[in-house]
Each structure stands twice: as C-alpha cells, then as structure tokens.
Amino acid sequence: MNAVVADVTARRKGGRQGSRKAGGFTLRDVAKLAGVAPITASRALNTPDAVSAKVLQKVQAAVLQTGYVPNLLAGALASQKSRLVAAVVPTLSGPMFLETVEALTDTLAGAGYQVMLGQSGYENSREDALLDAIIGRRPDGIVLTGITRSPQARRRLLASGIPVVETWDLTPTPVDMLVGFSHEKIGAAVAQYLHSKGKRRVAAISGDDERSRRRATAFSEAAVRLGMARPQESDVPACLVTAPTTLGNGRSGLRELLQRAPDIDAVFCSSDLLALGVMIEAQASAIAIPGQLAVIGLGDLSFSRDLHPPLTTVRIDGTAIGSTAARFIIDRSEGKSVAEPICDLGFTIIERASV
C-alpha cells in the first residue's frame, strides 16, 4: 500500500492531465489503496454496515494513510442534505447566548448535524446580508436569535423552503417556528417584583438593541402604573447604553442615573454584566446594596450567585431554547411535522440578596 501512496503522491506533485486538478486525494485514490472498487469505498464510508468488516478495515486504513476527507458538498448535491445548520447570534463577545449555542450544537451533533455559526450584530441590514449568504449555501436549517423584522429577509426565508427557528423572542407570526419568551412580560414582572419588595423610585439601564428596549419600555410602563415614578412624570429614569453591554456600561450608567435622580432605590439592568457594573460602582460610592439600592439583572450568568451580595436576576433557560430549536430542525429535516411550532418557555425571577 505504501508504494501506491507514493505513486499517487508523485502524480499529485507533478500534476495530472484530465478532469481532476493536482490536489488532495480522492475517493478513487482511497479505493485503489484499499484494493476495492470506488463504489465499495463509498459504501464503506457512508453506510459501513453494508460492507464486510474486512473491507471496512481496508478502507479505513486507506483513509488514515492518505488523510482523505469526503467531499461533503458533492454528497449534499446528491442527497439534497448538507447536514449543516446555520445559527445566527447578535454577538460572540458576550456570554448571554453561549448556553443556547452549546445546547443547539450538542443536540444537533447527536443527530449527525454540524452547526455553522454567524454573528449578525444588532443592525438589521447586516443580518439581511448574512442571511443571503446562508440561504445561498442551502443548510438543512436556520436558527435565528430574535424575530426577523425585515420584510426582505422574511420573503427570502419563506421562499427558500429551509426550516427556520426564531429564538429568544415571541410573536404570533413567526417566519416558520419559534422558541422563546416575552420581553414585555419580563419588564412588567420585574416592575411588579420590585414593587412587592417596597421599592418606589425605580430606574433602568438597558442596552440599545431592540429587544432590550422593549423590556425597558414595558418595565417603565408597569412601574408608572404601580406609582413608582416621580409625580407628574410619565416614565422612570432610564439610561441606554451600546449593545453588547459591558461591566463598564453599568458603572457609567449608574453614575448618570444618580446625577439625574439621586433618590432611586432600585435599578433593573438588561444584563447581568450591567448589573455587576452597577454593584461595583455602588460599592465605590459607598452605596449599600440592597439597603440603599436594589439591583436586578438578566441572564443568571455563572458569576451571579457568587457576587457579594448574590445577584437577583431573571433566568432564561438557554439550554431548553437551544435543544428545542434543534429538535424542531431535526424533525422538519426528516419530514416530520412539528405539532406546536410556537413554544413559549417563559422566564423565572431568581431571588437572591441584591434586592
């Protein structure tokens, strides 16, 4: 077999006449090394149960010796299956979506699919361009963070026929399938929770992305209804910061809020990182938490329970979102119907000592 490898390698280096350019080993080369027909080598790689143990061993040995990797594109063209699922998240720099991506990847891998990850940012125009590139590669499914609001993107996704799951949001009119929760209900629930804890002058620090703004608006509206705004004011103090949010945004956001409304007694932050920044700034300013200022975040990130005091936060089950979205894609790719294409997983307020 070594002599055959040397012969093929020599021909690669010298170039070849004909349809194949000089380059990597092909299935035909693997078959020759294994001493079997190309169709037999193909069966050994794609349906190993269809060949004898002896043939399978020969083909696997040839693959190891040559470093051959099957041409998945050619296989996808033949089977109309790419075994790829595209996942789009706004940012890779923060930990908020990692739990969902990990669960999505693990669940899909168990069914023989791989995940292709894309970063859309928080601009719809950028998401449109990314979706065009993804659709053109015809994955077996697309998982999006948030609701697709661009009419152009919705039209193209619908026309593609590719199974689509929107996540981390809720709407009665998804493009195809949806797994998420209501941002408006989170905002209202946090306001009610703080009111039940005796807080009467609340404020918010929020990322400037569309989903965070909707949470903050719902929070403010509920707080006003509950009498938690200053007399004669139609909303509560709020500070918008650039998304993705950071610890530094939390520190500067609290400073800004205290300059405008020094009597605030609670702050709702659109991420745990913002809340951590608020807590650090409060400590630096000798403001006691929760005695003088209550703080609540969103995300229930791994550090939240280990802070001093531990951070009260809104828990989103990112693992359930990812695994459910994966099952939706797998079922649809296998021709099965999805009985409940809209899945509201809700949220939980995790009560700790910062409120």
Side-chain angles (χ1 to χ4, degrees), residues 45-305:
L45 293 173
N46 297 308
T47 53
D49 292 340
V51 300
S52 69
K54 184 177 180 180
V55 167
L56 179 59
Q57 185 178 12
K58 286 182 178 181
V59 173
Q60 289 175 339
V63 168
L64 287 173
Q65 192 161 358
T66 60
Y68 169 72
V69 177
N71 186 336
L72 297 180
L73 178 58
L77 291 172
S79 66
Q80 299 298 306
K81 290 285 186 181
S82 66
R83 312 303 293 183
L84 280 177
V85 173
V88 179
V89 295
T91 178
L92 299 175
S93 64
M96 183 72 78
F97 305 107
L98 291 181
E99 195 176 320
T100 295
V101 172
E102 288 176 356
L104 178 74
T105 302
D106 290 345
T107 307
L108 287 169
Y113 293 83
Q114 300 297 322
V115 172
M116 175 174 60
L117 192 60
Q119 177 177 281
S120 65
Y122 289 94
E123 298 293 335
N124 286 336
S125 58
R126 183 173 170 183
E127 183 178 68
D128 285 350
L130 180 58
L131 285 176
D132 283 348
I134 289 171
I135 292 170
R137 286 162 175 78
R138 289 299 186 271
D140 288 337
I142 299 174
V143 178
L144 304 173
T145 302
I147 295 169
T148 304
R149 300 187 180 278
S150 161
Q152 173 180 300
R154 287 182 65 91
R155 282 195 301 271
R156 292 183 178 178
L157 287 167
L158 287 167
S160 73
I162 299 169
V164 176
V165 183
E166 293 162 289
T167 65
W168 280 77
D169 213 330
L170 202 63
T171 177
T173 57
V175 171
D176 187 4
M177 299 170 285
L178 183 146
V179 185
F181 54 90
S182 169
H183 293 276
E184 289 80 4
K185 287 183 179 179
I186 287 177
V190 170
Q192 181 66 57
Y193 171 77
L194 291 174
H195 186 269
S196 72
K197 295 297 182 180
K199 306 305 174 184
R200 295 297 181 267
R201 289 291 177 263
V202 299
I205 303 176
S206 171
D208 62 0
D209 61 284
E210 188 263 347
R211 288 180 293 277
S212 295
R213 287 199 303 267
R214 280 162 45 209
R215 284 197 301 272
T217 298
F219 172 75
S220 179
E221 291 173 350
V224 170
R225 289 195 301 271
L226 292 166
M228 300 164 77
R230 285 187 176 85
Q232 313 304 321
E233 291 190 2
S234 59
D235 55 16
V236 301
C239 176
L240 280 181
V241 299
T242 303
T245 57
T246 66
L247 183 155
N249 292 150
R251 297 197 66 172
S252 61
L254 180 60
R255 288 195 297 269
E256 179 182 327
L257 287 175
L258 291 174
Q259 288 176 356
R260 292 161 46 194
D263 62 339
I264 58 174
D265 59 7
V267 179
F268 173 39
C269 302
S270 68
S271 73
D272 284 355
L273 279 175
L274 281 176
L276 175 57
V278 167
M279 293 175 73
I280 291 173
E281 184 63 27
Q283 182 181 36
S285 303
I287 298 172
I289 296 176
Q292 295 172 265
L293 182 70
V295 182
I296 181 168
L298 183 139
D300 194 22
L301 299 182
S302 58
F303 63 77
S304 301
R305 71 188 65 191

